[in-house]
Amino acid sequence: MALEKNKDSRRVIVVGGGPVGLFSAIRLSRFGIKVVLIEKLGKVNSDIRASTFHPPTLEMMEPYGITAEALSKGVKAPNWQIRMHSTGERAVFDMSCLADDTLYPFRLQFEQSELCKIMDRILDKDPLAEIRYGSSLHGLSQTSDGVTVEISEDGIIKKLKGTFLIAADGGNSKVREILGLPFEGSMYPERTVLVTTTFPFHQYLDGISNVSYCWDKYGNFSLLRLRNSWRVSMYFPEGLSPEEALDDAHIEDRLQSICSSGEKYEVLDKRVYRVHQRIVDKYDHGRIILAGDAAHLNSPTGGMGMNGGLHDAHNLTSKIKEIWSGGDLSLLDLYSRQRKPVAETAIIQQADKNRRRMTEKDPKKRKEYLAEMQSITTDREKLRKFLWKSSMFEGLELASSIS
């Protein structure tokens, strides 16, 4: 094992080539800071994964041309709804009430995989950025002035040095594992099946929004529209094996229960997963700092996971920029103190509340929830306050209030 020669160690090492890692690298390079990103996959991840972008996230990505390209390829959701599917009753949240607060008063539906392709192209042209796909992290160590990582490339173990390391390597973070950090929390009992289909729900379901959270007699589901497809998130009871949950006939029956089309659904992709809510005790550990799913996991209901990770990256890279210009290392602790409360209250707790509301099966309680939501939509000030929070602006305000 050898340390690579002729490599400047005054740089930031980013572990993980998802949105959080790529955005961190873009931000740092634009600040004039050299960055090397290591990703164990051989190329950009093609999994769709997340697909909802909130207004402040679009604002953060705008200076780099990312938002403009995403808008040209994605689908705007100027409103979203909570819906009683059997009757069509709904509460519709009109995001235009945020028009005085942001240039992006809507949610954007755009595949995470396509976002990563945009970011990868940006970094590929950047002389300060180096992306190393097919690089697996094997070990790391740090001193008072730097970090050393051991990576495997084509079966060869190599060492790289950097000034800081950003762990953006997801829920199964290798960095977190090596550091031995507890990832406290719990796992929800039900399995979630995410199906992507070409079926045009908007042509069949009256008044459906591009983002819709629905109750029906079988439980609940979500409908999320993309440019040429819809994503259907369905929740199945505990006890089903992954194979049973992904059974073609089972999925077909459930899709037909949502909208009986008379034709078999064309399914482009299907996957099953369990939802966790977990968080580390602290984000910064010397010169190694965690961001995104490596630091916190939450229910996807409400689209806060990826957005929260991108907000982590925005905050953290600003702190590193200050340190690079002579600021104190305690800024990393400030990052942790600012972003962890947001993950705990504005992301994990809120996502859990969203999930509990939508997994409610009691018809009476569902009607009470719907009436409560409808009352918010008819009062403009209540609506603005609600959307300010659900669009993640409130969490950013919370972070900025901590010094």
Side-chain angles (χ1 to χ4, degrees):
M1 177 168 48
L3 180 67
E4 289 199 352
K5 303 295 184 182
N6 302 317
K7 292 287 184 179
D8 186 359
S9 64
R10 185 168 163 75
R11 61 185 175 185
V12 176
I13 299 171
V14 177
V15 181
V20 178
L22 291 166
F23 190 47
S24 296
I26 288 172
R27 294 258 301 163
L28 290 170
S29 65
R30 292 298 176 91
F31 292 150
I33 299 170
K34 288 185 178 180
V35 59
V36 56
L37 185 150
I38 60 176
E39 164 56 47
K40 64 182 179 181
L41 295 179
K43 59 180 181 180
V44 179
N45 195 326
S46 60
D47 288 347
I48 296 176
R49 300 202 178 189
S51 61
T52 296
F53 293 85
H54 289 295
T57 309
L58 298 173
E59 292 178 0
M60 291 175 185
M61 298 190 300
E62 189 274 334
Y64 312 101
I66 301 168
T67 296
E69 186 169 350
L71 286 171
S72 72
K73 297 177 178 178
V75 174
K76 291 181 183 178
N79 60 62
W80 58 274
Q81 66 180 254
I82 294 175
R83 181 184 183 97
M84 200 76 75
H85 191 58
S86 58
T87 64
E89 296 172 275
R90 52 194 177 266
V92 180
F93 297 87
D94 181 0
M95 295 190 65
S96 67
C97 71
L98 296 178
D100 291 338
D101 304 296
T102 177
L103 292 173
Y104 307 105
F106 49 81
R107 292 185 182 184
L108 178 69
Q109 290 302 114
F110 184 60
E111 298 94 322
Q112 174 179 315
S113 56
E114 295 301 312
L115 173 75
C116 289
K117 290 177 184 177
I118 295 171
M119 292 179 168
D120 175 73
R121 288 201 310 271
I122 292 171
L123 289 170
D124 186 54
K125 299 174 183 177
D126 194 324
L128 292 181
E130 178 187 5
I131 304 183
R132 303 176 72 139
Y133 289 111
S135 297
S136 299
L137 180 69
H138 275 244
L140 59 84
S141 60
Q142 64 176 315
T143 64
S144 60
D145 58 4
V147 179
T148 301
V149 299
E150 296 176 10
I151 61 172
S152 174
E153 294 180 336
D154 298 323
I156 301 172
I157 302 297
K158 303 174 183 179
K159 281 187 177 182
L160 303 177
K161 283 192 173 185
T163 306
F164 298 104
L165 183 147
I166 296 176
D169 52 341
N172 294 315
S173 172
K174 183 68 174 180
V175 174
R176 192 183 63 237
E177 176 190 323
I178 293 172
L179 292 176
L181 302 177
F183 205 28
E184 302 295 342
S186 60
M187 181 175 67
Y188 293 123
E190 70 272 8
R191 294 189 186 276
T192 301
V193 175
L194 184 60
V195 172
T196 304
T197 175
T198 56
F199 184 76
F201 286 102
H202 55 290
Q203 295 178 15
Y204 289 81
L205 301 179
D206 181 54
I208 200 75
S209 298
N210 289 341
V211 175
S212 297
Y213 305 104
C214 309
W215 287 300
D216 71 357
K217 64 180 180 180
Y218 299 101
N220 66 296
F221 60 91
S222 302
L223 294 174
L224 306 173
R225 187 179 179 183
L226 296 171
R227 177 59 65 91
N228 298 308
S229 61
W230 280 81
R231 306 183 82 194
V232 188
S233 186
M234 302 177 287
Y235 303 88
F236 292 105
E238 185 178 8
L240 279 184
S241 69
E243 292 74 23
E244 290 171 325
L246 288 174
D247 178 71
D248 288 342
H250 188 85
I251 289 176
E252 179 68 21
D253 286 346
R254 186 66 177 103
L255 290 172
Q256 291 289 347
S257 75
I258 294 172
C259 185
S260 181
S261 65
E263 298 180 4
K264 186 176 181 181
Y265 277 77
E266 180 184 13
V267 173
L268 302 178
D269 183 68
K270 59 181 181 177
R271 62 192 62 222
V272 62
Y273 59 92
R274 303 293 287 270
V275 175
H276 296 251
Q277 49 177 4
R278 301 184 184 278
I279 192 167
V280 294
D281 183 58
K282 197 172 188 286
Y283 290 10
D284 67 302
H285 298 269
R287 291 177 173 269
I288 301 170
I289 318 101
L290 280 65
D293 285 356
H296 50 83
L297 289 174
N298 61 274
S299 166
T301 307
M304 294 184 167
M306 176 184 61
N307 287 270
L310 290 168
H311 298 183
D312 286 349
H314 193 272
N315 184 304
L316 174 56
T317 50
S318 292
K319 301 295 190 293
I320 292 177
K321 176 190 176 185
E322 290 186 58
I323 295 170
W324 219 261
S325 301
D328 193 82
L329 280 173
S330 63
L331 287 165
L332 299 178
D333 172 69
L334 177 59
Y335 156 73
S336 183
R337 289 189 293 108
Q338 287 180 333
R339 290 303 302 168
K340 190 189 175 198
V342 175
E344 290 174 320
T345 60
I347 298 178
I348 293 177
Q349 287 182 17
Q350 184 59 44
D352 181 65
K353 183 178 179 181
N354 295 340
R355 172 198 166 272
R356 283 188 284 108
R357 179 174 59 224
M358 294 313 302
T359 54
E360 179 58 62
K361 291 180 173 58
D362 183 87
K364 182 179 178 181
K365 289 184 179 179
R366 283 181 173 182
K367 286 187 177 182
E368 289 173 355
Y369 276 137
L370 184 61
E372 178 187 352
M373 294 295 103
Q374 287 173 329
S375 71
I376 291 173
T377 65
T378 57
D379 184 314
R380 188 170 179 81
E381 190 50 43
K382 285 183 179 179
L383 177 60
R384 183 190 173 279
K385 184 177 180 180
F386 180 86
L387 289 174
W388 188 256
K389 182 176 183 177
S390 63
S391 298
M392 305 184 75
F393 284 110
E394 186 175 277
L396 293 171
E397 286 184 331
L398 170 62
S400 64
S401 71
I402 299 170
S403 59

